[in-house]
PDB file of all heavy atoms in Angstrom:
ATOM      1  N   PRO A  42      36.241   5.146  -5.740  1.00 68.00           N
ATOM      2  CA  PRO A  42      36.916   6.258  -6.577  1.00 68.00           C
ATOM      3  C   PRO A  42      35.934   6.973  -7.342  1.00 68.00           C
ATOM      4  O   PRO A  42      36.191   8.186  -7.691  1.00 68.00           O
ATOM      5  CB  PRO A  42      37.818   5.354  -7.502  1.00 68.00           C
ATOM      6  CG  PRO A  42      37.258   4.011  -7.492  1.00 68.00           C
ATOM      7  CD  PRO A  42      36.632   3.861  -6.134  1.00 68.00           C
ATOM      8  N   VAL A  43      34.791   6.348  -7.682  1.00 69.00           N
ATOM      9  CA  VAL A  43      33.726   7.108  -8.457  1.00 69.00           C
ATOM     10  C   VAL A  43      32.486   7.395  -7.571  1.00 69.00           C
ATOM     11  O   VAL A  43      31.982   6.499  -7.041  1.00 69.00           O
ATOM     12  CB  VAL A  43      33.269   6.315  -9.696  1.00 69.00           C
ATOM     13  CG1 VAL A  43      32.153   7.038 -10.511  1.00 69.00           C
ATOM     14  CG2 VAL A  43      34.516   5.888 -10.559  1.00 69.00           C
ATOM     15  N   HIS A  44      32.112   8.662  -7.473  1.00 70.00           N
ATOM     16  CA  HIS A  44      31.189   9.005  -6.498  1.00 70.00           C
ATOM     17  C   HIS A  44      29.756   8.852  -7.194  1.00 70.00           C
ATOM     18  O   HIS A  44      29.246   9.772  -7.811  1.00 70.00           O
ATOM     19  CB  HIS A  44      31.310  10.568  -6.190  1.00 70.00           C
ATOM     20  CG  HIS A  44      30.434  10.863  -4.988  1.00 70.00           C
ATOM     21  ND1 HIS A  44      30.580  10.429  -3.689  1.00 70.00           N
ATOM     22  CD2 HIS A  44      29.432  11.795  -4.888  1.00 70.00           C
ATOM     23  CE1 HIS A  44      29.693  10.930  -2.895  1.00 70.00           C
ATOM     24  NE2 HIS A  44      29.011  11.749  -3.616  1.00 70.00           N
ATOM     25  N   ILE A  45      29.297   7.564  -7.104  1.00 72.00           N
ATOM     26  CA  ILE A  45      27.990   7.227  -7.845  1.00 72.00           C
ATOM     27  C   ILE A  45      26.822   7.210  -6.841  1.00 72.00           C
ATOM     28  O   ILE A  45      25.685   7.150  -7.322  1.00 72.00           O
ATOM     29  CB  ILE A  45      28.160   5.789  -8.448  1.00 72.00           C
ATOM     30  CG1 ILE A  45      28.405   4.815  -7.435  1.00 72.00           C
ATOM     31  CG2 ILE A  45      29.168   5.897  -9.504  1.00 72.00           C
ATOM     32  CD1 ILE A  45      28.430   3.386  -8.026  1.00 72.00           C
ATOM     33  N   LEU A  46      27.060   7.322  -5.546  1.00 78.00           N
ATOM     34  CA  LEU A  46      25.975   7.252  -4.565  1.00 78.00           C
ATOM     35  C   LEU A  46      26.350   8.282  -3.431  1.00 78.00           C
ATOM     36  O   LEU A  46      27.325   8.339  -2.901  1.00 78.00           O
ATOM     37  CB  LEU A  46      25.909   5.879  -3.908  1.00 78.00           C
ATOM     38  CG  LEU A  46      24.628   5.619  -3.001  1.00 78.00           C
ATOM     39  CD1 LEU A  46      23.366   5.682  -3.823  1.00 78.00           C
ATOM     40  CD2 LEU A  46      24.827   4.265  -2.292  1.00 78.00           C
ATOM     41  N   PRO A  47      25.285   9.115  -3.092  1.00 82.00           N
ATOM     42  CA  PRO A  47      25.502  10.182  -1.991  1.00 82.00           C
ATOM     43  C   PRO A  47      25.648   9.417  -0.653  1.00 82.00           C
ATOM     44  O   PRO A  47      25.153   8.335  -0.396  1.00 82.00           O
ATOM     45  CB  PRO A  47      24.236  10.925  -2.054  1.00 82.00           C
ATOM     46  CG  PRO A  47      23.204  10.130  -2.593  1.00 82.00           C
ATOM     47  CD  PRO A  47      23.979   9.146  -3.599  1.00 82.00           C
ATOM     48  N   GLY A  48      26.455  10.085   0.278  1.00 80.00           N
ATOM     49  CA  GLY A  48      26.577   9.533   1.547  1.00 80.00           C
ATOM     50  C   GLY A  48      25.422   9.915   2.510  1.00 80.00           C
ATOM     51  O   GLY A  48      24.544  10.760   2.061  1.00 80.00           O
ATOM     52  N   PRO A  49      25.445   9.423   3.695  1.00 83.00           N
ATOM     53  CA  PRO A  49      24.295   9.805   4.625  1.00 83.00           C
ATOM     54  C   PRO A  49      24.159  11.285   4.869  1.00 83.00           C
ATOM     55  O   PRO A  49      23.036  11.860   4.847  1.00 83.00           O
ATOM     56  CB  PRO A  49      24.775   9.026   5.954  1.00 83.00           C
ATOM     57  CG  PRO A  49      25.647   7.919   5.517  1.00 83.00           C
ATOM     58  CD  PRO A  49      26.359   8.415   4.290  1.00 83.00           C
ATOM     59  N   TRP A  50      25.360  11.964   5.058  1.00 86.00           N
ATOM     60  CA  TRP A  50      25.208  13.395   5.259  1.00 86.00           C
ATOM     61  C   TRP A  50      24.660  14.180   4.070  1.00 86.00           C
ATOM     62  O   TRP A  50      23.986  15.104   4.282  1.00 86.00           O
ATOM     63  CB  TRP A  50      26.579  13.981   5.608  1.00 86.00           C
ATOM     64  CG  TRP A  50      27.034  13.559   7.004  1.00 86.00           C
ATOM     65  CD1 TRP A  50      28.039  12.867   7.390  1.00 86.00           C
ATOM     66  CD2 TRP A  50      26.366  13.964   8.292  1.00 86.00           C
ATOM     67  NE1 TRP A  50      28.160  12.706   8.755  1.00 86.00           N
ATOM     68  CE2 TRP A  50      27.129  13.385   9.350  1.00 86.00           C
ATOM     69  CE3 TRP A  50      25.293  14.701   8.573  1.00 86.00           C
ATOM     70  CZ2 TRP A  50      26.792  13.502  10.697  1.00 86.00           C
ATOM     71  CZ3 TRP A  50      24.821  14.812   9.878  1.00 86.00           C
ATOM     72  CH2 TRP A  50      25.707  14.214  11.006  1.00 86.00           C
ATOM     73  N   GLU A  51      24.964  13.763   2.837  1.00 85.00           N
ATOM     74  CA  GLU A  51      24.409  14.387   1.771  1.00 85.00           C
ATOM     75  C   GLU A  51      22.856  14.107   1.585  1.00 85.00           C
ATOM     76  O   GLU A  51      22.231  14.939   1.217  1.00 85.00           O
ATOM     77  CB  GLU A  51      25.095  13.826   0.427  1.00 85.00           C
ATOM     78  CG  GLU A  51      26.550  14.176   0.337  1.00 85.00           C
ATOM     79  CD  GLU A  51      27.148  13.495  -0.944  1.00 85.00           C
ATOM     80  OE1 GLU A  51      27.072  14.107  -1.998  1.00 85.00           O
ATOM     81  OE2 GLU A  51      27.727  12.390  -0.880  1.00 85.00           O
ATOM     82  N   VAL A  52      22.554  12.913   2.069  1.00 85.00           N
ATOM     83  CA  VAL A  52      21.110  12.678   2.122  1.00 85.00           C
ATOM     84  C   VAL A  52      20.338  13.553   3.114  1.00 85.00           C
ATOM     85  O   VAL A  52      19.251  14.091   2.813  1.00 85.00           O
ATOM     86  CB  VAL A  52      20.734  11.094   2.363  1.00 85.00           C
ATOM     87  CG1 VAL A  52      19.306  10.956   2.554  1.00 85.00           C
ATOM     88  CG2 VAL A  52      21.418  10.344   1.247  1.00 85.00           C
ATOM     89  N   VAL A  53      20.912  13.638   4.350  1.00 87.00           N
ATOM     90  CA  VAL A  53      20.362  14.623   5.232  1.00 87.00           C
ATOM     91  C   VAL A  53      20.273  16.094   4.684  1.00 87.00           C
ATOM     92  O   VAL A  53      19.330  16.691   4.909  1.00 87.00           O
ATOM     93  CB  VAL A  53      21.239  14.601   6.496  1.00 87.00           C
ATOM     94  CG1 VAL A  53      20.813  15.615   7.517  1.00 87.00           C
ATOM     95  CG2 VAL A  53      21.190  13.163   7.176  1.00 87.00           C
ATOM     96  N   GLY A  54      21.375  16.399   3.963  1.00 87.00           N
ATOM     97  CA  GLY A  54      21.391  17.744   3.271  1.00 87.00           C
ATOM     98  C   GLY A  54      20.210  17.864   2.274  1.00 87.00           C
ATOM     99  O   GLY A  54      19.619  18.934   2.159  1.00 87.00           O
ATOM    100  N   GLY A  55      19.909  16.718   1.565  1.00 85.00           N
ATOM    101  CA  GLY A  55      18.852  16.749   0.587  1.00 85.00           C
ATOM    102  C   GLY A  55      17.534  16.908   1.342  1.00 85.00           C
ATOM    103  O   GLY A  55      16.685  17.574   0.805  1.00 85.00           O
ATOM    104  N   ILE A  56      17.359  16.229   2.407  1.00 87.00           N
ATOM    105  CA  ILE A  56      16.067  16.376   3.138  1.00 87.00           C
ATOM    106  C   ILE A  56      15.943  17.820   3.699  1.00 87.00           C
ATOM    107  O   ILE A  56      14.908  18.421   3.648  1.00 87.00           O
ATOM    108  CB  ILE A  56      16.008  15.443   4.355  1.00 87.00           C
ATOM    109  CG1 ILE A  56      15.954  13.971   3.893  1.00 87.00           C
ATOM    110  CG2 ILE A  56      14.835  15.615   5.292  1.00 87.00           C
ATOM    111  CD1 ILE A  56      16.066  12.900   4.932  1.00 87.00           C
ATOM    112  N   ALA A  57      17.100  18.417   4.170  1.00 90.00           N
ATOM    113  CA  ALA A  57      17.061  19.825   4.672  1.00 90.00           C
ATOM    114  C   ALA A  57      16.749  20.830   3.435  1.00 90.00           C
ATOM    115  O   ALA A  57      16.070  21.786   3.631  1.00 90.00           O
ATOM    116  CB  ALA A  57      18.413  20.152   5.195  1.00 90.00           C
ATOM    117  N   TYR A  58      17.236  20.402   2.250  1.00 87.00           N
ATOM    118  CA  TYR A  58      16.853  21.181   1.108  1.00 87.00           C
ATOM    119  C   TYR A  58      15.411  21.174   0.821  1.00 87.00           C
ATOM    120  O   TYR A  58      14.770  22.292   0.542  1.00 87.00           O
ATOM    121  CB  TYR A  58      17.645  20.766  -0.153  1.00 87.00           C
ATOM    122  CG  TYR A  58      17.269  21.348  -1.370  1.00 87.00           C
ATOM    123  CD1 TYR A  58      17.925  22.515  -1.876  1.00 87.00           C
ATOM    124  CD2 TYR A  58      16.369  20.787  -2.285  1.00 87.00           C
ATOM    125  CE1 TYR A  58      17.598  23.066  -3.097  1.00 87.00           C
ATOM    126  CE2 TYR A  58      15.927  21.260  -3.451  1.00 87.00           C
ATOM    127  CZ  TYR A  58      16.583  22.454  -3.887  1.00 87.00           C
ATOM    128  OH  TYR A  58      16.276  22.999  -5.078  1.00 87.00           O
ATOM    129  N   LEU A  59      14.805  20.062   0.940  1.00 87.00           N
ATOM    130  CA  LEU A  59      13.365  19.854   0.636  1.00 87.00           C
ATOM    131  C   LEU A  59      12.593  20.734   1.720  1.00 87.00           C
ATOM    132  O   LEU A  59      11.581  21.345   1.434  1.00 87.00           O
ATOM    133  CB  LEU A  59      12.927  18.492   0.695  1.00 87.00           C
ATOM    134  CG  LEU A  59      13.488  17.631  -0.412  1.00 87.00           C
ATOM    135  CD1 LEU A  59      13.153  16.126  -0.229  1.00 87.00           C
ATOM    136  CD2 LEU A  59      12.956  18.036  -1.818  1.00 87.00           C
TER     137      LEU A  59
END
Side-chain angles (χ1 to χ4, degrees):
V43 181
H44 193 64
I45 60 175
L46 187 70
W50 287 116
E51 293 178 88
V52 174
V53 172
I56 296 176
Y58 173 87
L59 295 174

